[in-house]
Structure formats: structure tokens, C-alpha cells
Coordinates of all heavy atoms in Angstrom, one line a residue:
S1 N 6.3 5.3 9.6 CA 6.3 5.2 11.0 C 5.0 4.6 11.5 O 5.0 3.7 12.4 CB 6.5 6.5 11.7 OG 7.8 7.0 11.4
A2 N 3.9 5.0 11.0 CA 2.6 4.5 11.4 C 2.5 3.0 11.0 O 1.9 2.2 11.8 CB 1.5 5.3 10.8
A3 N 3.0 2.7 9.9 CA 3.0 1.3 9.4 C 3.7 0.4 10.4 O 3.3 -0.7 10.8 CB 3.6 1.1 8.0
E4 N 4.8 0.9 10.9 CA 5.6 0.1 11.9 C 4.9 0.0 13.2 O 4.8 -1.1 13.8 CB 7.0 0.8 12.1 CG 7.9 0.0 13.0 CD 9.3 0.6 13.1 OE1 9.7 1.2 12.1 OE2 9.9 0.4 14.1
I5 N 4.3 1.1 13.7 CA 3.6 1.2 15.0 C 2.4 0.2 14.9 O 2.1 -0.5 15.9 CB 3.1 2.6 15.3 CG1 4.3 3.5 15.6 CG2 2.1 2.6 16.4 CD1 4.0 5.0 15.5
Y6 N 1.6 0.2 13.8 CA 0.4 -0.6 13.7 C 0.6 -1.9 13.0 O -0.4 -2.6 12.7 CB -0.7 0.2 13.1 CG -1.1 1.4 13.9 CD1 -0.6 2.7 13.6 CD2 -2.0 1.2 15.0 CE1 -1.0 3.8 14.4 CE2 -2.4 2.3 15.8 CZ -1.9 3.6 15.5 OH -2.2 4.7 16.2
S7 N 1.9 -2.3 12.8 CA 2.2 -3.6 12.2 C 1.5 -3.8 10.8 O 0.9 -4.8 10.6 CB 1.9 -4.8 13.1 OG 2.6 -4.7 14.3
L8 N 1.6 -2.8 9.9 CA 1.0 -2.8 8.6 C 2.1 -3.0 7.5 O 3.2 -2.4 7.6 CB 0.3 -1.5 8.3 CG -0.9 -1.2 9.3 CD1 -1.4 0.2 9.1 CD2 -2.0 -2.2 9.2
G9 N 1.8 -3.8 6.5 CA 2.7 -3.9 5.4 C 2.2 -2.9 4.3 O 1.1 -2.4 4.4
P10 N 3.0 -2.7 3.3 CA 2.6 -1.8 2.2 C 1.3 -2.2 1.6 O 0.5 -1.3 1.2 CB 3.7 -1.9 1.2 CG 4.9 -2.3 2.0 CD 4.4 -3.2 3.1
E11 N 1.0 -3.5 1.5 CA -0.3 -3.9 0.9 C -1.5 -3.6 1.7 O -2.6 -3.6 1.2 CB -0.2 -5.4 0.6 CG -0.1 -6.3 1.8 CD 1.2 -6.4 2.5 OE1 2.2 -5.8 2.0 OE2 1.3 -7.1 3.6
D12 N -1.3 -3.2 3.0 CA -2.4 -2.8 3.9 C -2.7 -1.3 3.8 O -3.6 -0.9 4.4 CB -2.0 -3.2 5.3 CG -1.7 -4.6 5.5 OD1 -2.5 -5.5 5.0 OD2 -0.8 -5.0 6.2
I13 N -1.9 -0.6 3.1 CA -1.9 0.9 3.2 C -2.7 1.4 1.9 O -2.4 1.0 0.8 CB -0.5 1.5 3.2 CG1 0.2 1.0 4.6 CG2 -0.5 3.0 3.1 CD1 1.6 1.4 4.7
Y14 N -3.6 2.4 2.2 CA -4.3 3.1 1.1 C -3.8 4.5 1.2 O -3.9 5.2 2.3 CB -5.8 3.0 1.3 CG -6.3 1.6 1.0 CD1 -6.1 0.6 1.8 CD2 -7.1 1.5 -0.2 CE1 -6.6 -0.7 1.5 CE2 -7.6 0.2 -0.5 CZ -7.4 -0.9 0.4 OH -7.9 -2.1 0.1
L15 N -3.3 5.1 0.1 CA -3.0 6.5 0.0 C -4.1 7.2 -0.7 O -4.5 6.8 -1.8 CB -1.6 6.6 -0.8 CG -0.4 5.8 -0.3 CD1 0.8 6.1 -1.2 CD2 -0.1 6.2 1.2
V16 N -4.5 8.3 -0.2 CA -5.5 9.2 -0.8 C -4.7 10.5 -1.2 O -4.2 11.2 -0.3 CB -6.6 9.5 0.1 CG1 -7.7 10.4 -0.6 CG2 -7.3 8.2 0.6
H17 N -4.7 10.8 -2.5 CA -3.9 12.0 -2.9 C -4.5 12.7 -4.1 O -5.3 12.1 -4.9 CB -2.4 11.6 -3.1 CG -2.2 10.6 -4.2 ND1 -2.1 11.0 -5.5 CD2 -2.2 9.3 -4.2 CE1 -1.9 9.9 -6.3 NE2 -2.0 8.8 -5.5
D18 N -4.0 13.9 -4.4 CA -4.4 14.6 -5.5 C -3.7 14.1 -6.8 O -2.7 13.5 -6.7 CB -4.0 16.1 -5.3 CG -2.5 16.3 -5.2 OD1 -1.9 15.9 -4.2 OD2 -1.9 16.9 -6.2
D19 N -4.4 14.4 -7.9 CA -3.8 13.9 -9.2 C -4.1 15.0 -10.2 O -5.2 15.3 -10.6 CB -4.5 12.6 -9.7 CG -3.8 12.0 -10.9 OD1 -3.2 12.8 -11.7 OD2 -3.8 10.8 -11.0
L20 N -3.0 15.7 -10.7 CA -3.1 16.8 -11.6 C -3.6 16.3 -13.0 O -4.1 17.1 -13.7 CB -1.7 17.4 -11.8 CG -1.2 18.4 -10.8 CD1 0.3 18.7 -11.0 CD2 -2.0 19.7 -10.8
D21 N -3.3 15.1 -13.3 CA -3.7 14.6 -14.7 C -5.1 14.1 -14.8 O -5.6 13.7 -15.9 CB -2.7 13.4 -15.0 CG -1.3 13.9 -15.2 OD1 -1.1 15.0 -15.7 OD2 -0.4 13.1 -14.9
K22 N -5.9 14.2 -13.7 CA -7.3 13.8 -13.7 C -8.1 15.1 -13.6 O -7.7 16.0 -12.9 CB -7.7 12.9 -12.5 CG -7.0 11.6 -12.6 CD -7.9 10.6 -12.0 CE -7.9 9.2 -12.6 NZ -7.9 9.2 -14.0
A23 N -9.2 15.1 -14.3 CA -10.1 16.3 -14.3 C -10.6 16.5 -12.8 O -10.7 15.5 -12.1 CB -11.3 16.1 -15.2
L24 N -10.9 17.7 -12.5 CA -11.4 18.1 -11.2 C -12.6 17.2 -10.8 O -13.6 17.1 -11.5 CB -11.8 19.6 -11.2 CG -12.2 20.1 -9.8 CD1 -11.1 20.0 -8.8 CD2 -12.7 21.5 -10.0
G25 N -12.4 16.5 -9.6 CA -13.5 15.7 -9.1 C -13.5 14.3 -9.6 O -14.2 13.4 -9.0
K26 N -12.8 13.9 -10.6 CA -12.7 12.5 -11.1 C -11.8 11.7 -10.1 O -10.9 12.2 -9.6 CB -12.2 12.4 -12.5 CG -13.0 13.1 -13.5 CD -14.3 12.4 -13.7 CE -15.1 13.1 -14.8 NZ -16.4 12.6 -14.9
V27 N -12.2 10.5 -9.9 CA -11.4 9.6 -9.0 C -11.0 8.3 -9.7 O -11.7 7.9 -10.7 CB -12.1 9.3 -7.7 CG1 -12.4 10.6 -6.9 CG2 -13.4 8.6 -8.0
A28 N -9.9 7.7 -9.3 CA -9.5 6.5 -9.8 C -8.8 5.7 -8.7 O -8.2 6.3 -7.8 CB -8.6 6.6 -11.0
I29 N -8.8 4.4 -8.7 CA -8.1 3.6 -7.8 C -7.0 2.9 -8.6 O -7.2 2.4 -9.6 CB -9.0 2.5 -7.1 CG1 -10.0 3.2 -6.2 CG2 -8.2 1.5 -6.3 CD1 -11.0 2.3 -5.5
K30 N -5.8 2.9 -8.0 CA -4.6 2.3 -8.6 C -3.9 1.4 -7.6 O -3.8 1.8 -6.5 CB -3.7 3.4 -9.1 CG -2.5 2.9 -9.8 CD -1.6 4.2 -10.2 CE -0.6 3.8 -11.2 NZ 0.6 3.5 -11.0
L31 N -3.5 0.2 -8.0 CA -2.7 -0.6 -7.1 C -1.3 -0.7 -7.6 O -1.0 -1.0 -8.7 CB -3.3 -2.1 -7.2 CG -2.5 -3.1 -6.4 CD1 -2.4 -2.7 -4.9 CD2 -3.1 -4.5 -6.5
G32 N -0.4 -0.2 -6.7 CA 1.0 -0.2 -7.1 C 1.4 0.7 -8.2 O 0.7 1.6 -8.6
G33 N 2.6 0.4 -8.7 CA 3.1 1.2 -9.8 C 4.0 2.4 -9.4 O 4.3 2.6 -8.2
S34 N 4.3 3.2 -10.3 CA 5.2 4.4 -10.1 C 4.4 5.5 -9.4 O 3.2 5.5 -9.4 CB 5.8 4.9 -11.4 OG 4.9 5.6 -12.1
A35 N 5.1 6.5 -8.9 CA 4.5 7.7 -8.3 C 4.0 8.6 -9.3 O 3.2 9.5 -9.0 CB 5.6 8.4 -7.5
R36 N 4.3 8.5 -10.6 CA 3.9 9.4 -11.7 C 4.1 10.8 -11.4 O 3.3 11.7 -11.7 CB 2.4 9.1 -12.0 CG 2.1 7.7 -12.4 CD 0.7 7.4 -12.7 NE 0.2 8.4 -13.7 CZ -0.9 8.4 -14.3 NH1 -1.8 7.4 -13.9 NH2 -1.3 9.3 -15.1
G37 N 5.3 11.1 -10.8 CA 5.7 12.5 -10.5 C 5.1 13.1 -9.3 O 5.3 14.3 -9.0
H38 N 4.3 12.3 -8.5 CA 3.7 12.8 -7.2 C 4.7 12.7 -6.1 O 5.1 11.6 -5.7 CB 2.4 12.1 -6.9 CG 1.6 12.8 -5.9 ND1 2.0 12.7 -4.6 CD2 0.5 13.5 -6.0 CE1 1.1 13.4 -3.9 NE2 0.1 13.9 -4.7
N39 N 5.2 13.8 -5.5 CA 6.2 13.8 -4.5 C 5.8 13.1 -3.2 O 6.6 12.4 -2.6 CB 6.6 15.2 -4.2 CG 7.4 15.9 -5.3 OD1 8.0 15.2 -6.1 ND2 7.4 17.2 -5.4
G40 N 4.5 13.2 -2.8 CA 4.0 12.5 -1.6 C 4.0 11.0 -1.8 O 4.4 10.3 -0.9
V41 N 3.6 10.6 -3.0 CA 3.6 9.1 -3.3 C 5.0 8.6 -3.3 O 5.3 7.6 -2.8 CB 2.8 8.8 -4.5 CG1 2.9 7.4 -4.9 CG2 1.3 9.2 -4.4
Q42 N 5.9 9.4 -4.0 CA 7.3 9.0 -4.1 C 7.9 8.9 -2.7 O 8.7 8.0 -2.4 CB 8.1 9.9 -5.0 CG 9.5 9.5 -5.2 CD 9.5 8.2 -6.0 OE1 8.9 8.1 -7.1 NE2 10.2 7.2 -5.5
S43 N 7.6 9.8 -1.8 CA 8.1 9.8 -0.5 C 7.6 8.5 0.2 O 8.4 7.8 1.0 CB 7.6 11.0 0.3 OG 7.9 10.9 1.7
C44 N 6.4 8.1 0.0 CA 5.8 6.8 0.6 C 6.6 5.6 0.1 O 6.9 4.7 0.8 CB 4.3 6.7 0.4 SG 3.4 8.0 1.3

């Protein structure tokens, strides 16, 4: 809905979310791909 309101395409969107498979506090950036079992990412 926000993407439509602000005229954004998927390539303009950054999702910030938790990752069970990464050690506590570690971060990674990923472009595209599957949700890897994350329900919030799958919803997006």
C-alpha cells in the first residue's frame, strides 16, 4: 500500500528484518531471492 501511495517499485524498497540463521547482532544485505522461510518477507 505504501509503495502505491509513494509511487515506489519493488527495487526502491528496503526491508529490514530478523534472521534466525544469523548469529545475534550479525547483519547482511541481500538483493532479491527467496524469503528463506521468513513470513514477513514472503508477505512482501
